[in-house]
Amino acid sequence: MLSKVRSTAQECLADVPDGATVLVGGFGMAGMPSELIDALIAQGAKDLTIVSNNAGNGTVGLAALLKAGRVRKVICSFPRQTDSFVFDELFRAGRIELELVPQGNLAERIRAAGAGLGGFFTPTSYGTPLADGKETRVIDGRGYVLDYPIKADYALIKAHLADRWGNLVYRKTARNFGPIMAMAAKTSVVQVDRIVELGELDPEVVVTPGIFVSRVVALGAAHPTTEAAA
Amino acid sequence: MLSKVRSTAQECLADVPDGATVLVGGFGMAGMPSELIDALIAQGAKDLTIVSNNAGNGTVGLAALLKAGRVRKVICSFPRQTDSFVFDELFRAGRIELELVPQGNLAERIRAAGAGLGGFFTPTSYGTPLADGKETRVIDGRGYVLDYPIKADYALIKAHLADRWGNLVYRKTARNFGPIMAMAAKTSVVQVDRIVELGELDPEVVVTPGIFVSRVVALGAAHPTTEAAA
Amino acid sequence: MTYVPWTREEIAKTIADDIWDGAIVNIGIGMPEMVAGFLPADKEIILHSENGLLGMGPAPAADAVDPELINAGKQPTTVLPGACFFDHATSFAMMRSGRLDIAIMGAFQVSEHGDLANWSTGKPGAIPAVGGAMDLAAGARQVFVMMDLLTKKGESKLVPECTYPLTGLACVTRIYTDLAVFDVTPKGVSVRARVEGLSLDALQGLVPVRLAEGI
Amino acid sequence: MTYVPWTREEIAKTIADDIWDGAIVNIGIGMPEMVAGFLPADKEIILHSENGLLGMGPAPAADAVDPELINAGKQPTTVLPGACFFDHATSFAMMRSGRLDIAIMGAFQVSEHGDLANWSTGKPGAIPAVGGAMDLAAGARQVFVMMDLLTKKGESKLVPECTYPLTGLACVTRIYTDLAVFDVTPKGVSVRARVEGLSLDALQGLVPVRLAEGI
């Protein structure tokens, strides 16, 4: 019997090795897999490459992982925020590497890994400093930059509901990077508000097919849980 | 007020010019926009390039369009079927051009157009005769073929429900090429079973956001219409 | 002659009035956010939020905030009837494939060719951050820039060539400033409107780019 | 010694028995379709249909046919609890990114390196058609081929190099035939099973590829 359900966040992340590349979902706090990040901090893997839209806020979640000195490199689109002081300090001290990627190229590079592609030509960043050193090409009169997939060992994702095959539905704008990160990682780990019985999710409304999901763990909701909201 | 709703299939296709590239959805009869194809036949545009998974069955739909001598070229993955005699005859007579594309590369090339990419490296077809004459590259030890987007002037699609903004949901395996074809065409025309009020489609379950849809027309269902099936 | 620059509210209202019925619009973070408050009620304008929402509504009441329903500025938002959610790949596919009618963005500089610089001052030691600016620049059919025409030091931000790091090439189609509104055309920069009391000659005196009217 | 070739049912059952619990499998059109009938009830095996369905069930009763619920062979099908629908780009992304455990396909020829030829005989005048065969070959983690070992003329279909047009390079991992089952390994072709009464030497006599056992 196929079951991707695990009991704890710890169990989901026990095998993350040092040096792993880890995709971390979320845009702002929406879709941020906070409990999985906490479990990763507790687990102890170091020398990580973290791929996420931002580079941590305040002193919790990603920022806490960075603060613990466990991240070698961050690949993101927008590390600079009013409360990104943990990253700022590490970056200014030269203690963390940054690869800055335009948000849409970041999404497409993650998606390309999940689609098994070797690379793609994107118009975004053509003619800008973020294309420096990259291969470019004019196709049909328009300039493009060659970008490569971001393949990852793990993805940490937050979704709304899952079944034991790993089928997922998300909630509102918490969907953001979840579907593409699930596709792109060898092992995709998903924290959900609730596990439902197989067959409870309408086959028409599943957003991430279970084939892209390795492990799911129910950790409760971080949003209003009225019936209307669910 | 934004409304993509049109009254007739004819109205949806009145402006198709000679020489247009037209994406036609469907896999087998599931998702086949038969009434739109009939309207295209009636409309009279010729010298068309048709992009579809197959090249017509029997004497109706795509086969009828081909039979009417209106198609210059077919781009598809599987033209040879037990009842594809119309295509077979035109092809053997040298009266129609065929570009054969593996099914997944066909889907990805359509999707690439819809995602505004200039091209992508795919592992599929590497080392085979279908890669002859194409640029190839070994990336991270694996061989890839460079494929280009299939941009189209029109897409003819069948979905289940639409609202006036063009948001779509599909039904079962009739979804197939619909979502990516809607993205890839300058003008995407969708026949649906039924138009619903704005707000009736749950924002979580819309499959094709209305932004990718130009015109919708309600033409009734070609499947069981019990409440359970809807 | 003396003249009074347009206020930010006036600029925002001008932009809002220029958006057509049925347009799909992405409103950038910062100064452009003011445009949302002036969208005319008699037009149906659909707002795109690049984190994965089309059909965005106004900010919610304080007691209706949902932490999983936010906009690209990470502020709580709402949805209108007809809205839908989608993932990041789909959201940026919308941009890149030219489905957004208008993106409204701030700028450090715009060149006479429509090159845009709005993501980095290039200052050494600054933390670089780009977000979706380059994707919007490359993808939106029209890029409307909203900015003051002059820096605090009185230098024109409309320039022959940008000196700040570029966001995108030849992407800006219109520039709304406190002193004038410009169209960037293949034939050059055309003055679409000026504040009352500011002559074309006087405006030309402020801007090191050849200006004309009615191009 | 005499021997009786395995029937197609026997081959199909052997394949079905080799599929592990929880495996995600794409069953190709033609001879492989028989495998579906032998899937063991005590294992949960998830079937992928490349037209956009995971969790495919058995064929429906005649009165429960839905023309919008079909499999890759364009035949009516059903869904199991846990199934989901998706578009073609997603379906083939699953293949290309290595999420399918097994694809079962027919073949004209397989080379000792695992090269597969199954889409075209290269005959001039034939209508070429490829469908999803090349995508499955390039993407599935394991490709199981189901075929007769010999052509009607008695020529081996397991060959040093394919002479028919290729579907994919070095993709086949196991070959199920009417006379033997082979593993394609980096060290060569290993005989996994033979029909009773067919010695390794006799099998080697039929196949122009060096065979071994237990590689």
Side-chain angles (χ1 to χ4, degrees), chain A residues 89-225:
Chain A
E89 201 170 296
L90 289 166
F91 183 75
R92 291 221 166 84
R95 287 170 53 208
I96 200 161
E97 196 183 331
L98 169 67
E99 181 178 345
L100 190 72
V101 183
Q103 196 168 339
N105 286 355
L106 183 68
E108 195 66 18
R109 290 178 63 188
I110 294 167
R111 192 258 170 201
L117 304 177
F120 59 91
F121 286 99
T122 173
T124 301
S125 83
Y126 183 78
T128 80
L130 294 190
D132 284 353
K134 297 192 173 189
E135 182 175 336
T136 61
R137 190 180 293 205
V138 174
I139 300 169
D140 271 349
R142 187 170 191 193
Y144 294 89
V145 177
L146 178 59
D147 259 334
Y148 292 96
I150 298 177
K151 297 176 192 172
D153 301 298
Y154 289 80
L156 276 44
I157 295 164
K158 183 176 192 315
H160 180 38
L161 304 175
D163 63 25
R164 69 173 167 83
W165 282 7
N167 290 309
L168 304 179
V169 296
Y170 300 82
R171 198 172 161 280
K172 305 191 180 182
T173 56
R175 186 184 304 194
N176 57 68
F177 283 92
I180 50 176
M181 287 186 170
M183 295 170 70
K186 272 184 225 140
T187 302
S188 48
V189 179
V190 185
Q191 68 171 78
V192 294
D193 299 336
R194 194 155 52 86
I195 308 276
V196 301
E197 287 300 310
L198 203 67
E200 267 191 65
L201 298 176
D202 179 349
E204 300 283 9
V205 312
V206 168
V207 172
T208 293
I211 194 172
F212 292 122
V213 172
S214 312
R215 301 165 190 170
V216 297
V217 56
L219 295 175
H223 58 78
T225 50

Side-chain angles (χ1 to χ4, degrees), chain A residues 1-2 114-115 164 167 183 185, chain D residues 21 44 82 85 96-97 99:
Chain A
M1 196 182 82
L2 181 64
R164 69 173 167 83
N167 290 309
M183 295 170 70
Chain D
D21 191 28
E44 189 169 63
F85 298 111
R96 256 186 262 103
S97 65
R99 302 286 177 164

Side-chain angles (χ1 to χ4, degrees), chain D residues 96-138:
Chain D
R96 256 186 262 103
S97 65
R99 302 286 177 164
L100 283 187
D101 293 306
I102 305 168
I104 308 172
M105 291 197 274
F108 298 137
Q109 288 177 326
V110 179
S111 86
E112 60 182 322
H113 314 291
D115 297 347
L116 172 66
N118 78 346
W119 71 283
S120 165
T121 57
K123 216 189 286 176
I127 309 275
V130 65
M134 288 189 180
D135 304 279
L136 286 161

Side-chain angles (χ1 to χ4, degrees), chain B residues 112-138:
Chain B
L117 304 177
F120 59 91
F121 286 100
T122 174
T124 301
S125 83
Y126 183 78
T128 79
L130 293 191
D132 283 354
K134 295 193 174 189
E135 182 175 336
T136 61
R137 189 181 293 203
V138 174

Side-chain angles (χ1 to χ4, degrees), chain B residues 23-197:
Chain B
L23 307 173
V24 178
F27 179 89
M29 287 311 290
M32 183 62 62
S34 304
E35 286 81 0
L36 290 178
I37 298 170
D38 289 346
L40 183 59
I41 295 172
Q43 190 262 3
K46 58 181 193 294
D47 215 19
L48 301 172
T49 294
I50 296 293
V51 184
S52 197
N53 192 62
N54 303 105
N57 301 79
T59 55
V60 297
L62 264 190
L65 185 69
L66 267 59
K67 180 88 179 169
R70 308 265 286 285
V71 179
R72 186 180 64 77
K73 178 179 178 180
V74 168
I75 303 177
C76 76
S77 87
F78 209 85
R80 188 185 63 225
Q81 302 192 270
T82 49
D83 57 352
S84 58
F85 46 85
V86 170
F87 173 83
D88 296 4
E89 202 169 294
L90 288 166
F91 183 75
R92 292 220 165 83
R95 286 171 53 208
I96 199 161
E97 195 183 331
L98 169 67
E99 181 177 343
L100 190 72
V101 183
Q103 197 168 337
N105 286 356
L106 182 68
E108 196 65 17
R109 289 177 64 187
I110 294 167
R111 193 256 171 202
L117 304 177
F120 59 91
F121 286 100
T122 174
T124 301
S125 83
Y126 183 78
T128 79
L130 293 191
D132 283 354
K134 295 193 174 189
E135 182 175 336
T136 61
R137 189 181 293 203
V138 174
I139 300 169
D140 272 347
R142 186 169 192 194
Y144 295 88
V145 178
L146 179 58
D147 259 335
Y148 292 98
I150 299 177
K151 297 176 191 172
D153 301 299
Y154 289 80
L156 310 188
I157 295 164
K158 184 177 190 315
H160 181 38
L161 305 175
D163 62 25
R164 68 175 168 82
W165 282 7
N167 290 308
L168 304 179
V169 295
Y170 299 83
R171 199 172 161 279
K172 304 190 180 185
T173 56
R175 187 182 305 194
N176 58 65
F177 283 93
I180 51 175
M181 287 184 170
M183 295 170 71
K186 271 184 226 140
T187 302
S188 48
V189 179
V190 186
Q191 68 171 78
V192 294
D193 298 338
R194 195 155 51 86
I195 308 275
V196 301
E197 286 299 310

